[in-house]
Amino acid sequence: IKTVQDPQVMSRIMSFAAQSGSLIMQHAEDNILSQGGLINEGEISTRLGLKGIPFLAEKIIVERDLSFLEEYFCRYHIAQISSKKTVTLLHPD
């Protein structure tokens, strides 16, 4: 699964989806921030000596897409969420 990285492309996709009633399924991960990462960054990645993927790699894409959803009212699904901070974006309470 690949993330739509280009904001202009995502804007066009959401515009089309809003008009057609299509569902967008997004794997939220910034490819540059997650490059070379194997698991979520944190205590376990450190203990195992594995390069971690920072939570911001997910959060930044979700924030961008939520901003687009304010303009394009379309159906949108995040394929998986791996960060508590991302969940907080969706459910601030």
Side-chain angles (χ1 to χ4, degrees):
I1 298 175
K2 299 279 185 181
T3 303
V4 177
Q5 298 292 312
D6 187 320
Q8 289 181 325
V9 171
M10 191 55 159
S11 175
R12 286 186 295 211
I13 290 169
M14 285 191 170
S15 176
F16 176 80
Q19 294 171 17
S20 66
S22 300
L23 170 66
I24 297 170
M25 292 186 70
Q26 176 74 292
H27 172 79
E29 184 176 313
D30 182 285
N31 289 345
I32 293 172
L33 290 174
S34 64
Q35 189 172 22
L38 300 171
I39 63 173
N40 285 354
E41 186 177 74
E43 182 181 340
I44 294 173
S45 66
T46 301
R47 274 197 229 167
L48 295 174
L50 299 174
K51 181 171 175 11
I53 301 169
F55 77 90
L56 284 173
E58 178 178 271
K59 186 175 181 247
I60 286 171
I61 296 295
V62 172
E63 286 176 326
R64 179 202 70 185
D65 290 355
L66 291 175
S67 294
F68 280 134
L69 286 170
E70 292 175 6
E71 299 298 318
Y72 306 108
F73 301 105
C74 64
R75 297 168 55 221
Y76 177 83
H77 175 79
I78 303 167
Q80 67 272 337
I81 296 174
S82 63
S83 165
K84 182 178 180 178
K85 293 184 180 188
T86 301
V87 172
T88 304
L89 283 175
L90 303 171
H91 297 282
D93 298 324

